[in-house]
Amino acid sequence: MLIVTLLHKHLNYCKMEITSKQKRILVLDNGGRMLSVVNEIMYYGDFDIYTVYDQNAICDKAKAIRPDLIILDYLLLNNDCEQVCNDLKEEKGLENIPVIVVSTYRSKKIRSAAYRCDALFLKPMDMEVLASRIDYLMAS
């Protein structure tokens, strides 16, 4: 009985250790367009992914879960992606979280500096490149 109890405690400890190492990604999605990106990210890595559909709730959710990375859908209500990204970078406690913006518009790549994002990906994306960039941003 003692051996079973010790084994059970050890398994619970290992489970907690694995869970604590899992990286968190917060995704701000508008209209479900990021679903394919989220599915691909999960294929390339073992991440804990949270999705928010309200751009006004992104800062509060980020403060609550402390993600290792944030991914924004460029097409937000009223085209406010730039403002949301800037708000995240100016918010105390969130300013160092890497932000990736995903867009289908090639012309937006020119303005990526205005967003203060850490990376900008255009659809369709090379998921291996995205996965590599996610690993890099989370490690730095």
Side-chain angles (χ1 to χ4, degrees), residues 118-132:
D118 299 281
L120 181 112
F121 280 88
L122 302 172
K123 290 182 182 180
M125 294 179 283
D126 181 335
M127 289 310 293
E128 289 183 19
V129 173
L130 177 62
S132 172

Side-chain angles (χ1 to χ4, degrees), residues 10-72:
H10 177 71
L11 289 174
N12 282 339
Y13 174 77
C14 290
K15 184 178 177 183
M16 286 174 37
E17 190 173 300
I18 290 170
T19 303
S20 68
K21 290 181 181 178
Q22 195 172 33
K23 299 288 188 171
R24 292 184 202 99
I25 298 176
L26 178 58
V27 178
L28 176 57
D29 192 358
N30 182 33
R33 283 188 300 276
M34 298 293 288
L35 184 59
S36 63
V37 174
V38 169
N39 288 337
E40 288 288 330
I41 290 169
M42 292 183 78
Y43 174 78
Y44 280 94
D46 185 25
F47 302 110
D48 199 4
I49 298 181
Y50 299 83
T51 305
V52 176
Y53 299 97
D54 179 3
Q55 67 193 42
N56 297 316
I58 186 90
C59 285
D60 290 337
K61 186 68 171 183
K63 287 178 185 177
I65 66 166
R66 308 306 264 170
D68 299 289
L69 179 82
I70 298 172
I71 300 177
L72 302 177

Side-chain angles (χ1 to χ4, degrees), residues 64-138:
I65 66 166
R66 308 306 264 170
D68 299 289
L69 179 82
I70 298 172
I71 300 177
L72 302 177
D73 179 1
Y74 171 76
L75 281 179
L76 297 176
L77 185 64
N78 300 323
N79 295 321
D80 283 341
C81 185
E82 182 177 352
Q83 185 61 51
V84 170
C85 193
N86 281 311
D87 287 349
L88 287 166
K89 291 298 185 176
E90 292 173 2
E91 187 71 33
K92 185 175 177 161
L94 304 179
E95 67 274 6
N96 294 321
I97 298 173
V99 177
I100 294 175
V101 173
V102 176
S103 175
T104 56
Y105 300 105
R106 298 215 175 270
S107 62
K108 298 304 174 193
K109 189 169 185 176
I110 298 167
R111 295 191 51 212
S112 64
Y115 287 71
R116 296 172 55 195
C117 61
D118 299 281
L120 181 112
F121 280 88
L122 302 172
K123 290 182 182 180
M125 294 179 283
D126 181 335
M127 289 310 293
E128 289 183 19
V129 173
L130 177 62
S132 172
R133 187 66 174 172
I134 286 172
D135 286 341
Y136 171 78
L137 288 171
M138 287 183 169

